[in-house]
Amino acid sequence: ITHIMVTDPVTVEIGNALSDVHKALAKQRFHHVPVVENQKLIGIISEADLLRHGLADEEPSSRLDERTRIADIMRTDLITVSDRATVSEAAQRLSAGGFHSLPVVDQHDHLRGLVTSTDLIEFLLETPIERPLPADLEQRLEQLERVFNAAKLYLHSGLAESEHARLERAIEAAR
């Protein structure tokens, strides 16, 4: 996971002003800002959280900062992934739904990075998927060709019209 994660995401401290979250979201390509305390991940704020609290369109200001604290809107029910996890493990967690950003933490819950669904898609686009072909593929194709030839012979034999049509549809579907 460390090969695809962003290793230095913009963060805010729990004591920062909410206007700092607005600035952080404007500064990066993410829609999530991790909240840390002494380097330990304790929450995350997304643009969706700001929307949910009616704060997304507000300009950063001291009035906003006085009215709302980071702790009031950050999510603490975090789903994270270890910095020793694989890309597959991160994909499984992200595919569970409900979020598009996954904080990467070490064994002490210190934030090491951030992985987004976009990072995973980019990784997949750059990585060819290699699936081994069955060892008997050529033999299976020859057998299938014999079945097709036998079916064609049957179709042209003049037997019952309904059987004829049914077999022809099955052959076309198999191709």
Side-chain angles (χ1 to χ4, degrees), residues 56-70:
D57 293 330
E58 275 201 47
E59 289 294 317
S61 68
S62 58
R63 188 172 154 257
L64 171 66
D65 292 340
E66 290 170 9
R67 203 174 67 230
T68 311
R69 298 174 314 137
I70 288 175

Side-chain angles (χ1 to χ4, degrees), residues 38-87:
N38 300 323
Q39 298 180 346
K40 185 176 179 182
L41 179 69
I42 60 167
I44 196 162
I45 297 179
S46 69
E47 286 182 347
D49 296 325
L50 294 175
L51 279 170
R52 194 171 23 260
H53 287 30
L55 303 170
D57 293 330
E58 275 201 47
E59 289 294 317
S61 68
S62 58
R63 188 172 154 257
L64 171 66
D65 292 340
E66 290 170 9
R67 203 174 67 230
T68 311
R69 298 174 314 137
I70 288 175
D72 296 333
I73 63 170
M74 74 177 187
R75 297 187 70 170
T76 57
D77 56 337
L78 300 174
I79 296 177
T80 62
V81 67
S82 164
D83 58 357
R84 287 182 244 129
T86 65
V87 171

Side-chain angles (χ1 to χ4, degrees), residues 112-128:
R112 292 279 321 277
L114 205 58
V115 175
T116 66
S117 47
T118 302
D119 295 326
L120 289 173
I121 291 168
E122 288 173 355
F123 173 76
L124 290 173
L125 290 174
E126 294 171 2
T127 307

Side-chain angles (χ1 to χ4, degrees), residues 134-149:
D136 63 343
L137 180 63
E138 199 166 316
Q139 189 178 356
R140 292 165 100 183
L141 288 173
E142 289 172 7
Q143 183 180 20
L144 188 57
E145 186 66 33
R146 287 194 298 275
V147 169
F148 282 142
N149 289 337

